[in-house]
């Protein structure tokens, strides 16, 4: 590859690295096929290309996963097929849809018989880390553009209306590498569940463009607000996993309906304004449909019903029945999301633990609750009794613990249970 071409590729890579790009939907005939292989691709993709070219008698070198080994054979074919004129043309050495189309036309059935060699590998469903970046949809007349102009930001982020899969953009939209099928649901720890419906030139697998893990781009909305969120997000390493396709996206932006009520605490003696806030919250999440009148008795039944249903209390005469505090709030956050930037802020007043420790303990909480569900056989009364028994045993462990840090962690776990 010529020096000028290498420099241009590096510059493009740097630009794409900082800004996500809405992709163009793949040709239906090459869906599920590797169609984006270059000098920066990982060893797995380059090995596939070598095997594929060898099956068509276009390459006779070693199957070693090195781009330098196949570069000349690839460019020679592209020049022969008229895809590029010279070896230092822009696009020379990039294996994409133009090269695939030319190969299909020339080799026909032989091409189809060997195309499976280039099949995109399905991502593993187990937990792993992702590098998570952000992109947005620019609008005319913004106060600020990353590139300085609306046209420049459109080139970097796409037109911002339709995803690569053909669906309109939406909150909870992820762009992911091609081996993540459209509709794949990914749960990112502390963020929520998003749906893969987009692609991007810089949205690559581990081992490409300097990324140690697969890269995911989160759509952050429109205009100045979307850009603000995208810049604030930056790049983060986040643990995640693939979940069932039936799961609905739960990712939010700065706030979920619950987040703005993080400091709210309500009981029968609370001020009228606080009770109105609780009524407003329950109205937003469709748990209350009466007047916002500040009367505690108006919402008392709905609050207690929610607490019983979610095993926060045993019955209507439990000591904590009708008290809106951290346990009820944490359950609401679990069900209705916390927002990308809210994450665990609502719990920080209750502990000196780090964000990472809080997230780990919340994960332990979910595992405990899942185990309790199994033991109880779905019986609500049994669930509450098992949970109460567990909390008492946890208190004994806390008392016996000699480690200050461990005590903090266990006390916090007891609090959110």
């Amino acid at each position: 590859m010529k020096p000028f071409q290498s420099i241009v590729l590096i510059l493009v890579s740097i630009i794409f690295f900082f800004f996500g790009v809405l992709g163009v939907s793949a040709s239906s005939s090459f869906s599920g096929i590797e169609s984006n292989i270059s000098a920066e691709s990982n060893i797995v993709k380059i090995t596939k290309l070598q095997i594929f070219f060898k099956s068509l008698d276009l390459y006779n070198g070693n199957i070693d996963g090195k781009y330098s080994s196949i570069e000349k054979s690839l460019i020679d074919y592209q020049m022969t097929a008229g895809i590029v004129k010279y070896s230092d043309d822009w696009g020379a050495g990039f294996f994409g849809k133009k090269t695939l189309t030319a190969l299909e036309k020339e080799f026909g059935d032989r091409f189809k018989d060997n195309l499976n060699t280039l099949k995109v590998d399905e991502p593993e469903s187990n937990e792993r880390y992702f590098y998570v970046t952000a992109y947005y949809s620019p609008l005319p007349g913004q106060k600020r553009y990353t590139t300085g102009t609306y046209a420049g930001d459109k080139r970097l982020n796409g037109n911002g209306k339709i995803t690569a899969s053909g669906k309109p953009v939406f909150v909870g939209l992820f762009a992911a590498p091609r081996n993540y099928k459209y509709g794949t649901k990914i749960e990112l720890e502390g963020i929520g569940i998003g749906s893969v419906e987009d692609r991007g030139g810089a949205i690559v697998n581990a081992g490409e463009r300097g990324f140690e893990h697969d890269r995911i781009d989160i759509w952050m909305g429109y205009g100045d607000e979307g850009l603000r969120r995208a810049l604030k997000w930056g790049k983060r390493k986040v643990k995640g996993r693939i979940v069932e396709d039936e799961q609905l996206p739960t990712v939010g932006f700065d706030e979920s309906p619950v987040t703005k009520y993080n400091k709210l605490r309500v009981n029968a003696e609370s001020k009228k304004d606080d009770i109105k806030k609780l009524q407003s919250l329950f109205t937003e999440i469709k748990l209350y449909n009466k007047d916002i009148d500040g009367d505690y008795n108006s919402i008392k039944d709905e609050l207690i019903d929610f607490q019983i249903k979610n095993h926060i209390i045993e019955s209507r005469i439990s000591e904590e029945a009708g008290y809106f505090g951290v346990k009820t709030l944490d359950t609401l956050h679990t069900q209705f999301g916390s927002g990308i930037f809210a994450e665990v802020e609502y719990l920080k007043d209750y502990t000196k633990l780090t964000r990472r420790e809080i997230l780990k303990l919340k994960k332990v909480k979910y595992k405990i609750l899942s185990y309790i569900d199994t033991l109880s056989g779905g019986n609500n009364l049994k669930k509450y009794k098992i949970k109460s028994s567990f909390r008492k045993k946890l208190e004994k462990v806390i008392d016996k613990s000699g480690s200050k840090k461990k005590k903090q962690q266990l006390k916090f776990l007891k609090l959110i249970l």
Side-chain angles (χ1 to χ4, degrees):
M1 189 176 290
K2 301 292 184 182
F4 173 75
Q5 189 181 5
S6 299
I7 291 168
V8 173
L9 278 173
I10 291 167
L11 287 173
V12 171
S13 299
I14 291 170
I15 291 170
F16 275 80
F17 177 83
F18 282 104
F19 310 103
V21 181
L22 278 167
V24 178
S25 58
S27 163
S28 59
S29 59
F30 302 134
S31 178
I33 299 299
E34 299 287 4
S35 60
N36 186 356
I37 302 177
S38 68
E40 296 182 354
S41 295
N42 60 32
I43 189 171
V44 174
K45 292 183 181 181
I46 294 169
T47 299
K48 288 180 183 180
L49 180 60
Q50 290 174 332
I51 294 170
F52 183 61
F53 260 49
K54 183 159 277 196
S55 71
L56 300 177
D57 296 323
L58 294 174
Y59 174 67
N60 60 7
N62 295 327
I63 307 297
D64 56 10
K66 294 179 181 178
Y67 178 79
S68 57
S69 300
I70 196 171
E71 180 181 15
K72 185 177 184 303
S73 298
L74 175 57
I75 294 175
D76 284 349
Y77 175 75
Q78 290 174 326
M79 290 172 65
T80 302
I83 298 166
V84 297
K85 193 171 182 180
Y86 302 107
S87 62
D88 59 353
D89 280 356
W90 174 249
F94 173 77
F95 180 81
K97 283 180 280 185
K98 286 184 180 179
T99 305
L100 277 165
T101 302
L103 288 166
E104 183 179 32
K105 186 176 179 181
E106 181 174 344
F107 290 93
D109 289 340
R110 190 176 173 191
F111 169 89
K112 292 175 184 176
D113 290 343
N114 290 284
L115 190 58
N116 204 47
T117 305
L118 291 174
K119 187 177 179 182
V120 171
D121 295 326
E122 292 288 329
E124 296 179 4
S125 59
N126 58 306
E127 278 192 346
R128 91 292 299 272
Y129 282 99
F130 296 92
Y131 275 120
V132 183
T133 50
Y135 68 120
Y136 85 112
S137 299
L139 296 173
Q142 286 177 208
K143 294 178 183 177
R144 176 188 178 190
Y145 295 102
T146 308
T147 63
T149 66
Y150 170 57
D153 274 26
K154 272 188 74 173
R155 282 194 294 273
L156 289 172
N157 292 275
N159 64 22
K161 296 179 181 178
I162 302 298
T163 66
S165 70
K167 294 182 179 180
V169 293
F170 57 92
V171 178
L173 167 64
F174 287 173
R178 284 174 53 80
N179 59 323
Y180 293 82
K181 293 179 180 178
Y182 293 135
T184 300
K185 301 299 193 305
I186 301 173
E187 182 178 23
L188 297 176
E189 192 173 88
I191 298 169
I193 297 169
S195 181
V196 176
E197 296 292 350
D198 219 347
R199 303 288 185 227
I203 310 306
V204 295
N205 292 112
E208 300 180 320
R209 296 181 183 267
F211 284 96
E212 184 183 353
H213 307 287
D214 289 353
R215 180 180 174 185
I216 291 175
D217 232 6
I218 301 179
W219 184 75
M220 291 290 184
Y222 289 98
D224 285 309
E225 192 64 18
L227 175 59
R228 181 191 68 78
R229 294 188 190 110
L231 294 175
K232 183 178 178 181
W233 178 265
K235 183 182 79 168
R236 306 187 190 184
K237 181 179 173 182
V238 182
K239 186 181 285 187
R241 64 189 181 95
I242 295 174
V243 295
E244 296 294 326
D245 287 348
E246 291 74 21
Q247 297 265 27
L248 295 174
T250 61
V251 170
F253 292 143
D254 296 294
E255 293 186 341
S256 74
V258 185
T259 307
K260 52 190 169 186
Y261 300 101
N262 279 341
K263 296 187 181 298
L264 184 63
R265 304 292 175 266
V266 175
N267 60 28
E269 305 298 321
S270 293
K271 295 177 182 177
K272 198 168 184 178
D273 284 347
D274 285 340
I275 295 168
K276 281 184 177 180
K277 288 178 184 176
L278 179 60
Q279 290 172 328
S280 297
L281 166 58
F282 269 50
T283 299
E284 284 188 65
I285 56 180
K286 304 189 186 321
L287 294 177
Y288 178 76
N289 60 7
K290 291 182 277 189
D291 292 338
I292 311 295
D293 57 9
D295 182 354
Y296 178 78
N297 288 320
S298 298
I299 196 171
K300 179 180 177 182
D301 286 342
E302 285 83 352
L303 174 57
I304 293 175
D305 287 344
F306 177 82
Q307 292 173 325
I308 292 172
K309 182 180 178 181
N310 289 279
H311 325 304
I312 298 165
I313 58 172
E314 180 180 2
S315 69
R316 307 189 86 79
I317 59 171
S318 296
E319 186 179 348
E320 293 184 27
Y323 172 67
F324 183 83
V326 68
K327 291 178 188 175
T328 307
L329 183 63
D330 189 49
T331 303
L332 287 170
H333 271 286
T334 300
Q335 293 187 15
F336 297 96
S338 299
I340 286 174
F341 299 109
E343 294 177 341
V344 294
E345 296 298 320
Y346 65 99
L347 292 170
K348 284 188 176 178
D349 291 343
Y350 297 90
T351 180
K352 294 179 181 179
L353 300 175
T354 65
R355 174 181 173 276
R356 182 182 292 273
E357 287 172 324
I358 292 172
L359 288 172
K360 282 184 177 179
L361 286 166
K362 280 175 70 67
K363 193 171 181 181
V364 171
K365 170 194 167 180
Y366 301 144
K367 287 182 178 178
I368 291 169
L369 292 180
S370 176
Y371 183 59
I372 290 172
D373 279 343
T374 303
L375 287 177
S376 67
N379 182 293
N380 284 339
L381 182 58
K382 281 185 180 179
K383 281 181 186 177
Y384 182 81
K385 287 182 176 179
I386 294 169
K387 189 198 277 191
S388 297
S389 175
F390 181 83
R391 283 167 58 83
K392 287 176 183 176
K393 288 179 181 177
L394 195 57
E395 285 176 6
K396 292 178 181 178
V397 174
I398 292 168
D399 289 339
K400 291 179 181 178
S401 176
S403 164
K404 187 177 179 181
K405 173 61 77 174
K406 191 173 181 181
K407 273 191 175 182
Q408 281 183 335
Q409 292 171 340
L410 293 174
K411 281 181 179 179
F412 180 75
L413 180 60
K414 178 174 173 282
L415 174 72
I416 61 176
L417 275 172

